[in-house]
Amino acid sequence: MAVQDIMPTWVGATAKQIARGVRRGDVSATQVLADHLDHVAKADADLAAFRAVRGGEAVTEAEKVDEQEDLANLPLAGVPVAVKENTAVAGMPTWNGSAAVRTPVAEADHEVVRRLRGAGAVILGVTRMPELGLWAVTDDDTAVTRNPWDLGRTPGGSSGGAAAAVAAGLVPIAHGNDGLGSIRIPAACCGLVGLKPGRGVVPCQLGAEDWFGLVEHGMLSTTVADAAVGFQVLAGRAQEKLVPPQRLRVGVSLRSPVRGVSPDAPNREAVAAAGRLLAGAGHDTVPADPVYPTALGLQGIATWFAAAAADVRAAGIDRGSLQPRSRRHVAFGDWAWRRGYVRDADRLAWRERSIGFFADHSVDLLLTPALATAPPPATSWSSRSWRANMLANIRYAPYAAPWNIAGLPALVVPVGRRPDGLPLAVQLVGPPGSELLLLGVAGQFEMAAPWPRHAPGYPRAGTGSPAGT
């Protein structure tokens, strides 16, 4: 029996299931896209995950996939994919989080978009983010993006629209980028797998200076297998395969990078549960706290400020048109730059110290909480003060940023639920070149303790789909 005979809709299928079905001729790329466009039209009014949907253009792209004679080498054949709105898609403006910072229609795709298309993906649309990608909440004066698990909560940021889209099944996988946690924080908020590759693994080419080397492109997905194929496509490493990791020694730390901020009880329990999963998979866990210097937080915040100012200068943006929170952030960036608080040497010193952590503690990976508290409310943060935004961001999501500064790969994987039903997650950090190792360990988590692939009330994985498709 063909998959198409028992698959009432391809919404809710994984990227790997869709690509396999398209390659085998069980379904056309145009039918897969039609299913997802219909779902977006029905569901996104409540979520505001998408800035723009490419209806006709996406149909044309899907038709081109169907016309190809050889689909065997397309790992994402016919898979609808969303792209974060700060990354150029040919024929579309690049919004960057608000009308004030929107740039003209792009003449060419960004390299990561080119790689997605080259793998057979169909670009369904672009997802929302906060202005300039500065915040771990997603909204502007046109909409508040909401978490499918609880519409009263944010899906995180800055890849908040991407996470909401995947968690609701609007697309099976979505592109995001991560400057201080902007893939991993939304993944944790929405119960997804989110990998930030190490520095230089995926071409960045974003903003004025890639946020001084802090930003990396990656994907958000509902399964480790989809996370792996997305990473392999973006990194140009399609021939590499995941293998079950051998016995590892994993350092475990609850220590917060931000003094005075600590994980709540559910996030502590998530780390404990992850430790039990690691032990069950045959790994050893040991306490191992990174030493986060006070200066690291100051350097990270100064770089965060200065990156925004550099982007605004490079793009010639009228600062008066920015949201008040962004305007103040940029002003602090100018001040930090003039004072010499943004230094390559400081970031390099932290990178070397972070790499040394694994040798000093004789560990292969580090396990930490993904978040400190539940995601903040979904509300109009863009109209609130800079101080309110800063405090909300730092208090709930302090664990991601150090690894951008260090340029190390880091991954978020779901582990259980909060008492209110929201997903919980943990973060795994590794030394340079450990992306596939991180994914391999996450795969062991998934096998031992599978998580709900989509938020309650949204399409479930594999509806009508046979095992192994």
Side-chain angles (χ1 to χ4, degrees):
M1 181 181 293
V3 176
Q4 60 189 6
D5 295 329
I6 55 177
M7 193 78 163
T9 173
W10 286 82
V11 171
T14 69
K16 293 202 73 170
Q17 287 173 334
I18 291 170
R20 189 176 292 118
V22 171
R23 288 195 298 266
R24 293 196 309 208
D26 294 331
V27 67
S28 66
T30 50
Q31 182 58 57
V32 171
L33 177 67
D35 288 350
H36 284 82
L37 286 172
D38 182 61
H39 180 41
V40 170
K42 294 175 181 176
D44 198 41
D46 291 332
L47 299 172
F50 279 92
R51 175 74 66 177
V53 175
R54 302 174 70 249
E57 300 96 329
V59 170
T60 299
E61 287 179 20
E63 290 172 346
K64 289 180 179 177
V65 172
D66 288 331
E67 291 168 1
Q68 294 193 41
E69 294 183 1
D70 183 11
L71 300 175
N73 294 319
L74 298 181
L76 294 176
V79 176
V81 174
V83 173
K84 189 174 176 179
E85 64 170 309
N86 64 349
T87 303
V89 175
M92 301 189 76
T94 306
W95 275 267
N96 294 304
S98 77
V101 293
R102 182 179 60 198
T103 60
V105 170
E107 296 182 1
D109 288 331
H110 186 285
E111 175 61 19
V112 296
V113 178
R114 189 191 69 79
R115 292 185 181 191
L116 288 168
R117 289 194 205 271
V122 176
I123 310 302
L124 186 149
V126 295
T127 55
R128 289 178 178 268
M129 57 181 264
E131 190 171 70
L132 297 171
L134 293 175
W135 312 104
V137 290
T138 300
D139 69 279
D140 66 6
D141 61 356
T142 67
V144 174
T145 302
R146 299 181 181 277
N147 191 326
W149 285 82
D150 179 346
L151 297 181
R153 297 282 183 172
T154 183
S158 64
S159 304
V166 175
L170 306 185
V171 285
I173 56 175
H175 157 267
N177 36 58
D178 189 316
L180 289 171
S182 290
I183 288 173
R184 288 161 291 152
I185 294 168
C189 290
C190 294
L192 304 174
V193 181
L195 171 66
K196 179 195 80 70
R199 186 168 299 156
V201 173
V202 174
C204 187
Q205 304 161 2
L206 200 67
E209 300 182 48
D210 300 343
W211 273 29
F212 302 100
L214 270 59
V215 178
E216 308 295 341
H217 291 281
M219 305 294 290
L220 296 103
S221 68
T222 64
T223 69
V224 173
D226 279 2
V229 72
F231 165 71
Q232 290 160 338
V233 167
L234 294 191
R237 293 159 58 172
Q239 302 307 313
E240 298 184 25
K241 303 299 180 184
L242 285 185
V243 295
Q246 301 300 311
R247 185 171 182 173
L248 301 173
R249 183 176 163 91
V250 180
V252 180
S253 177
L254 295 175
R255 177 178 290 174
S256 171
V258 178
R259 185 173 298 177
V261 176
S262 59
D264 62 12
N267 279 291
R268 293 195 302 271
E269 173 53 31
V271 172
R276 294 191 291 269
L277 290 173
L278 287 167
H283 305 305
D284 299 317
T285 59
V286 295
D289 285 326
V291 177
Y292 302 109
T294 301
L296 175 68
L298 299 176
Q299 294 157 10
I301 289 174
T303 304
W304 183 18
F305 294 162
D311 282 355
V312 166
R313 285 194 302 270
I317 295 168
D318 173 14
R319 298 184 183 207
S321 67
L322 295 173
Q323 297 161 2
R325 61 177 180 172
S326 303
R327 194 158 57 241
R328 188 169 183 188
H329 207 82
V330 168
F332 277 126
D334 289 332
W335 175 83
W337 183 256
R338 289 195 304 268
R339 290 295 187 97
Y341 292 149
V342 183
R343 297 183 290 265
D344 291 341
D346 293 335
R347 295 190 295 278
L348 179 59
W350 172 244
R351 176 177 173 82
E352 292 175 348
R353 187 170 185 170
S354 298
I355 293 171
F357 164 85
F358 297 97
D360 293 344
H361 291 81
S362 300
V363 296
D364 301 292
L365 300 175
L366 171 67
L367 169 68
T368 79
L371 302 175
T373 65
T379 188
S380 183
W381 288 97
S382 58
S383 65
R384 299 185 67 180
S385 71
W386 172 85
R387 184 176 184 274
N389 277 269
M390 288 289 291
L391 290 175
N393 281 237
I394 292 171
R395 285 173 175 168
Y396 102 91
Y399 286 96
W403 314 112
N404 294 85
I405 300 170
L408 299 187
L411 174 145
V412 156
V413 60
V415 179
R417 304 260 199 110
R418 296 182 63 86
D420 60 7
L422 287 170
L424 283 165
V426 295
Q427 177 177 237
L428 290 164
V429 183
S434 62
E435 288 86 0
L436 291 180
L437 177 61
L438 292 168
L439 287 164
V441 173
Q444 292 180 317
F445 280 34
E446 186 176 21
M447 290 183 65
W451 49 79
R453 285 191 46 239
H454 298 101
Y458 290 92
R460 288 299 187 271
T463 302
S465 171
T469 61

